[in-house]
């Protein structure tokens, strides 16, 4: 039982996570975003959840007028809970008393609505509403409980086991055990989430019944408990039993939350088979169903994974929440297997999905993360809630607004992902300016990463020599540690002592990346990356009137660093209509051109543009 | 006023269409499909529309229990009307007395339900149902009236102006004039169709009020009469006024039906501006938003056109009905402008969309027409209605089943598209074995087209010499007429006399087609075509266990004819997962291979397969 403020708390495994109290990000890329989260994103989410009625719903549930007054989709309660979770991590990080009061105010509000038996919802079971558990496929009741319980776990771990939301969460969890336990109601929720929450609640409370309930839920899937729907049962991973599945499929966020739960259950119950299954599915998705940015999900319609190598950049969905879900899985697998290379996808997804979602001012978000924007989006609405389908522009709020609070809870707890304890020392997973305390060891990391590839690890305190494991990213060919070549994977420095400075050098200059030949949608193109950053071209950097659809590049002429981006040589095309787009000759290209690239995460902050990551190669 | 059995009857224009009584298709590709339509498709549609309740709905509307018993979507009435239209053309073609009786039975059934004021619906306005015209965006009432009126027009033109469905259609049309005329209710239907139907009814009755009402409806669009929706007002072409639009956009079938109406209105009212607008929009869509097959629509979610050059083959929607709509527009533009090259897209769409939709046995249909099937579809349900979203496999019936009856009415009236009368002779548009009567001239066309490129036009009767215009398709480089080179476009033979045989030779051998470099989704690929036929690879023709996703081709080695298809040289790829699909080396290809191609329209008739039209070129 681990009650330190860790995002995830496995009770076994080769790596031991650090609490957010053990890590301070001191500056740079992620400190900027933690500050943005505290100062802009959390207040913004609180304002919007009030404005669109999701928080006020609880008041109406209390006064009995909810049927008449309710706003928001079935699952809007979950976003209130996710906001409480984000605020809990943030309060745990900074101790902000204003946040503390707000968390308790919201918790008391939820508690007032909770039934004696632990059930709580603003959508069902109140006067004039449908009865509870009348719609497992779309009702999202257990999904909401999952986020409620995650908020409770965050409060327990950050030192507030007496918080109102903890009482509510525990009552809800016990209600779930009674209602859905072995021999009771044989059902699962259309949207996985309760499973990972219950597993974590076991860890936070030491009560193994919760994780066993999570296991029951996982093993119930794939037996047709949910109805067939337009997109098939694969949409909610009810098409085949979890343990016989080989790859992530269907709705990406659902698949990832379920897999995070499977890893947790496997670890807590010592179920090696389940761990293998979860790892196999995730690894297969990484190899064949993941975008360069780490984004997952190729279909807008059902927010789902595509088939193998179906990765269209212009129709990429890459939901921000799927990025968060992927980080949840990868971090759990890293802790469970000790394989630091899972840090590669965590880093990639953090820099190119999580950091891409919020606008520079933290007041608007991408829900989907396209790799190619063919036409400029209409100017983002400054003050308007939009449907998720408009998710290819940053918007202040969505009718389904899971993404802003998912970004927020990830940023608030980000310190917990930088490193882990090993049996004989420390493993550094993410590079950022930070101070880390691992048992008796205190490290200070000094770096300008990701723009500068030098990382200095100052050993400020170490009663005895220890081993330092360093993640060397797969892209970092030519990396060195203390002047010695370090191959991608993990590099171990033995006998590190107090006063030492271990210097890691990662090649973060721009590089050209080619896609697997099986990805039809980007055949004949290249991308440019710098360290963990995917770069892109934005039309605002091209000559007046030129779209990103009108360019081709010469990768054989190389690529040069330019500020935080790069420049590649290419040409502008100018081809009119020939009446029929097949078998017709093209007009001559207009002329050569230097094409600037900027970090993908920063795109869309300079007004409506066209944008693309994959650049067509000139013949 | 033209009451001959022509599919479309403009009262002006350089070309005059022929009635289906003037053209007999004597054999070959299209005669086979007309027979399939008569013997299989029409009986199949009648059986299914009865089975799923769409025909029985009218009985329940009559006995007052419809609210309790109704089956089908809002617009299911329209499919009953479209079936009546198809049967009307078929009865006009063959005089089948069984069909005649069925048409009258169905017409009487609808007539019994019609209100005194002309309104008729099984979805609205009956006891227990929503009131009429309470939902213009999704209610489809005027859309249904449009198909009702088209059925009436077909009956008038095929010699049955006293038919029950004609009385119903005229009453409905007059109701529409009263209800939606200038100064009355200012509304438009979310789904265009009433416009083209009213224009045609003017032609069939000589009453100009109908086409004026159609013009009103067209000009009312783009002024926000319909609400904004998730996909924007462009979904139903209400985002900007028709006359200022420059390209087809939004839901493809809606855009095409509306444009067909615009051409009809322009011709009937002598509105040159409107004709230009319609032509410009359609030409732009042809040049930048059309698949190689002639298919239109790149988005599954909203069945919509994509942006320019957004043409993903694996997510192509290419709804069968959009193919029918495109033929409607192209044929109207051909008649209105005299430009025979619109016959190219008609021919391409007929061979690769309309002919592709029905299975060989006429008992199952494609709703969408993918150009790349990545995984084998589950075996088609033999006896089950499926959602349209499952449209990437042929199915016997869909919850939205517009496509089978659209195919049926097109096949039944196909004779009318083969040729047209000119001021001084005849223009041949489509090549098929046929007998054609144009005024005093009788022609017999003898050909094995599209498999054989020789077309012999026997002049069996011609009181005086006349001019014969022959369409030379754009792909037909090297074509000849009577031994003289004939460039793509129209080729005119003057002074053709009785007893002459004009011989057209079209190069129908296999050819390699490259896409415009701006189509991102098929960069680095080629397709193979033969005459008007697009070819494709089906995995059933590849070595055991090989998917179409595992091949690359060598187009520089040419392509050879093989039966009705072709063979291209290529290689099989065998690449395992490298863990990450970007920047990793590929394994060596396994070896060279001859890859057979078959006509696209025939695919999916040999069990579940993978399939692709665009073939990756080996480096």
């Amino acid at each position: 039982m681990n009650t330190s403020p860790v995002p995830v708390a496995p009770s076994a495994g080769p790596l031991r996570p650090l609490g957010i109290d053990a890590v301070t990000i001191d500056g740079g890329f992620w400190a900027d975003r933690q500050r943005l989260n505290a100062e802009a994103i959390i207040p913004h989410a609180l304002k919007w959840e009030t404005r669109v009625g999701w928080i006020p719903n609880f008041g109406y549930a209390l006064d009995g007028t909810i049927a008449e007054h309710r706003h928001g989709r079935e699952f809007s309660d979950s976003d209130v809970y996710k906001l409480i979770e984000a605020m809990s991590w943030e309060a745990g990080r900074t101790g902000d008393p204003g946040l503390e009061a707000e968390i308790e105010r919201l918790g008391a509000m939820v508690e007032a609505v909770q039934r004696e038996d632990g059930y709580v919802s603003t959508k069902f079971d109140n006067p004039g509403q449908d009865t509870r558990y009348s719609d497992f496929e779309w009702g999202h009741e257990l999904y909401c409980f999952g986020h409620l319980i995650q908020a409770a776990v965050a409060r327990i771990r950050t030192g507030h086991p007496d918080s109102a939301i903890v009482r509510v969460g525990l009552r809800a969890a016990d209600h779930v055990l009674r209602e859905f336990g072995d021999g009771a109601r044989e059902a699962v929720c259309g949207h996985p989430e309760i499973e990972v929450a219950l597993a974590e609640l076991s860890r936070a409370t030491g009560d193994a019944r919760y994780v066993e309930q999570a296991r029951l839920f996982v093993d119930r899937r794939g037996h047709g408990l949910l109805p067939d729907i337009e997109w098939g049962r694969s949409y909610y991973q009810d098409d085949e039993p979890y343990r016989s599945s080989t790859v992530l499929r269907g709705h990406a966020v659902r698949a990832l939350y379920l897999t995070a739960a499977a890893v947790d259950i496997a670890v807590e119950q010592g179920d090696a088979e389940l761990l293998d299954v979860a790892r196999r599915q995730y690894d297969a998705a990484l190899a064949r169903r993941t975008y360069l940015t780490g984004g997952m999900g190729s279909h807008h319609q059902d927010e789902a994974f595509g088939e193998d190598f179906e990765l269209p950049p212009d129709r990429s969905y890459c939901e921000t929440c799927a990025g968060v879900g992927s980080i949840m899985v990868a971090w759990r697998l890293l802790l469970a297997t000790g394989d630091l290379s899972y840090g590669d996808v965590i880093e990639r997804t953090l820099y190119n999905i999580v950091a891409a979602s919020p606008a520079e001012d933290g007041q608007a978000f991408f829900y989907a993360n396209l790799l190619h924007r063919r036409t400029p989006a209409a100017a983002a609405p400054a003050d308007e809630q939009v449907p998720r389908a408009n998710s290819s522009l940053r918007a202040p709020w969505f009718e389904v607004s899971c993404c802003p609070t998912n970004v927020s809870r990830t940023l608030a707890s980000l310190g917990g992902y930088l490193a882990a304890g090993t049996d004989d020392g420390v493993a550094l997973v993410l590079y950022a300016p930070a101070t880390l305390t691992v048992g008796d060891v205190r490290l200070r990391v000094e770096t300008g990463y990701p723009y500068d590839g030098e990382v200095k690890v100052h050993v400020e305190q170490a009663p005895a020599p220890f081993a330092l494991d360093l993640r060397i990213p797969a892209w970092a060919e030519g990396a060195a540690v203390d002047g010695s070549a370090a191959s991608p994977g993990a590099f171990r420095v033995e006998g590190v002592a107090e006063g030492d400075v271990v210097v890691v050098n990662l090649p973060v200059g721009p590089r050209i990346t080619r896609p697997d030949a099986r990805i039809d949608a980007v055949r004949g193109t290249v991308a440019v990356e710098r360290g963990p950053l995917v770069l892109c071209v934005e039309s605002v950097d091209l000559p007046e009137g030129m779209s990103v659809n009108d360019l081709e590049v010469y990768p054989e002429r190389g690529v040069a660093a330019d500020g935080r981006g790069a420049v590649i040589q290419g040409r502008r095309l100018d081809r009119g209509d020939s009446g029929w787009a097949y078998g017709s000759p093209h007009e001559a290209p207009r002329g050569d051109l230097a094409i600037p690239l900027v970090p993908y995460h920063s795109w869309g902050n300079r007004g409506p543009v066209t944008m693309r990551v994959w650049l067509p190669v000139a013949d």
Side-chain angles (χ1 to χ4, degrees), chain A residues 151-224:
Chain A
V153 168
R155 285 298 273 169
I156 294 171
R157 291 198 180 139
T158 51
H160 298 278
D162 52 347
S163 182
I165 202 72
V166 175
R167 292 192 295 274
V168 180
L170 285 168
R171 277 190 219 110
D174 291 340
H175 161 78
V176 170
L177 295 187
R178 286 194 305 276
E179 190 76 21
F180 297 95
D182 205 6
R185 193 195 288 256
E186 184 90 356
V188 296
C189 183
H191 199 316
E193 163 60 24
I194 183 70
E195 300 83 357
V196 70
L198 287 171
E200 283 279 84
L201 187 64
S202 264
R203 292 164 166 173
T205 60
D207 186 338
R209 292 177 307 151
Y210 299 126
V211 69
E212 174 56 15
Q213 180 67 44
R215 188 201 59 77
L216 256 181
F217 279 137
V218 168
D219 281 331
R220 274 180 192 163
R221 293 191 108 80
H223 298 285

Side-chain angles (χ1 to χ4, degrees), chain A residues 549-570:
Chain A
N549 302 312
D550 302 332
L551 63 82
E552 289 182 342
V553 299
Y554 305 110
E556 69 280 9
R557 299 187 193 169
V559 57
D562 180 30
R564 290 176 173 181
V567 173
I568 192 167
Q569 298 305 307

Side-chain angles (χ1 to χ4, degrees), chain A residues 470-492:
Chain A
L470 299 155
R471 181 181 61 91
I472 308 298
W475 48 262
E477 290 291 343
V481 177
D482 287 341
S484 299
S487 302
F491 187 93
R492 166 160 282 216

Side-chain angles (χ1 to χ4, degrees), chain A residues 391-407:
Chain A
S391 54
S392 57
L393 51 85
R394 286 194 185 93
W397 207 248
F398 300 94
E399 287 168 16
V400 176
S401 220
C402 41
C403 297
T405 48
N406 242 333
V407 166

Side-chain angles (χ1 to χ4, degrees), chain A residues 334 339-348 351 427-431 449 469-476 487-491 504 506 532:
Chain A
L334 182 145
D339 182 350
L340 293 193
S341 68
Y342 283 110
D344 285 11
V345 65
I346 294 172
E347 178 177 60
R348 184 175 286 278
Y351 278 106
L428 262 186
V429 179
L430 300 176
Y431 299 109
Y449 190 86
D469 292 307
L470 299 155
R471 181 181 61 91
I472 308 298
W475 48 262
S487 302
F491 187 93
V504 186
L506 299 170

